[in-house]
């Protein structure tokens, strides 16, 4: 079973996909654009989103991240949960935290703590909040 995170965007899902693929060294599983999902009952809506991402799936570890541009600009995507990545090596955590926090905001620097060997928290440039953790097995 894979864990799934579903992220919504107002027109920049493709940019976010490239950012997360690079940050996590993830694999692109699929990308579908709205032009390939024509809905003849809502042609104006599709014209506005023609080149946007209807659904994209990237995968790393047992985690699928689904990204999608939403057409309704009035739909609020401002309330973000925090996504937690528990990694197998300290170096992997350093690399991923550095990439996710670039052009974003470091909330808690990636460092040792009393509850994880290493933990850091950041808001990426798309407003998503990530906790990057490392704990020896």
């Amino acid at each position: 079973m894979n864990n799934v995170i579903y992220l919504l965007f107002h027109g920049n899902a493709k940019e976010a996909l490239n950012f997360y693929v690079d940050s996590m060294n993830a694999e692109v599983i699929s990308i579908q654009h709205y032009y390939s999902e024509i809905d003849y009952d809502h042609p104006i809506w599709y014209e506005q989103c023609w080149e946007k991402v209807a659904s994209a799936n990237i995968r790393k570890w047992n985690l699928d991240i689904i990204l999608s541009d939403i057409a309704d600009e009035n739909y609020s995507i401002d309330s973000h949960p925090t996504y937690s990545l528990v990694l197998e090596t300290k170096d992997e955590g350093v690399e991923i935290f550095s990439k996710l926090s670039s052009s974003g905001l470091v909330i808690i620097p990636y460092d040792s703590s009393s509850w994880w060997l290493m933990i850091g928290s950041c808001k990426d440039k798309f407003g998503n909040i990530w906790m990057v953790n490392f704990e020896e097995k």
Side-chain angles (χ1 to χ4, degrees):
M1 177 175 82
N2 278 5
N3 297 302
V4 177
I5 295 173
Y6 201 102
L7 302 175
L8 299 175
F9 298 88
H10 282 300
N12 57 344
K14 178 69 173 173
E15 178 187 355
L17 178 139
N18 292 330
F19 175 75
Y20 295 131
V21 165
D22 180 59
S23 294
M24 297 179 205
N25 298 313
E27 173 188 6
V28 176
I29 303 301
S30 65
I31 301 175
Q32 292 178 306
H33 294 88
Y34 282 106
Y35 61 74
S36 65
E37 302 293 326
I38 297 174
D39 179 352
Y40 292 102
D41 293 331
H42 301 92
I44 294 172
W45 183 81
Y46 274 91
E47 284 177 20
Q48 294 169 351
C49 297
W50 194 252
E51 297 291 327
K52 302 299 180 191
V53 174
S55 179
N57 182 2
I58 63 175
R59 183 172 295 149
K60 180 69 176 184
W61 313 291
N62 68 335
L63 175 67
D64 282 348
I65 300 177
I66 311 295
L67 303 95
S68 180
D69 284 316
I70 56 173
D72 186 353
E73 292 295 324
N74 295 316
Y75 186 90
S76 175
I77 58 174
D78 295 334
S79 178
H80 293 285
T82 298
Y83 307 107
S84 181
L85 303 175
V86 180
L87 305 171
E88 295 182 5
T89 71
K90 178 181 175 180
D91 291 341
E92 186 179 29
V94 169
E95 178 184 357
I96 290 173
F97 185 81
S98 174
K99 290 179 179 179
L100 286 174
S101 62
S102 68
S103 302
L105 172 69
V106 172
I107 299 168
I108 300 171
Y110 189 71
D111 204 351
S112 60
S113 76
S114 58
W115 61 95
W116 291 94
L117 286 178
M118 299 293 290
I119 185 171
S121 181
C122 65
K123 182 185 284 191
D124 69 27
K125 65 182 179 179
F126 299 101
N128 293 304
I129 299 173
W130 297 88
M131 282 189 350
V132 179
N133 310 294
F134 162 65
E135 182 174 62
E136 284 184 317
K137 298 191 184 224

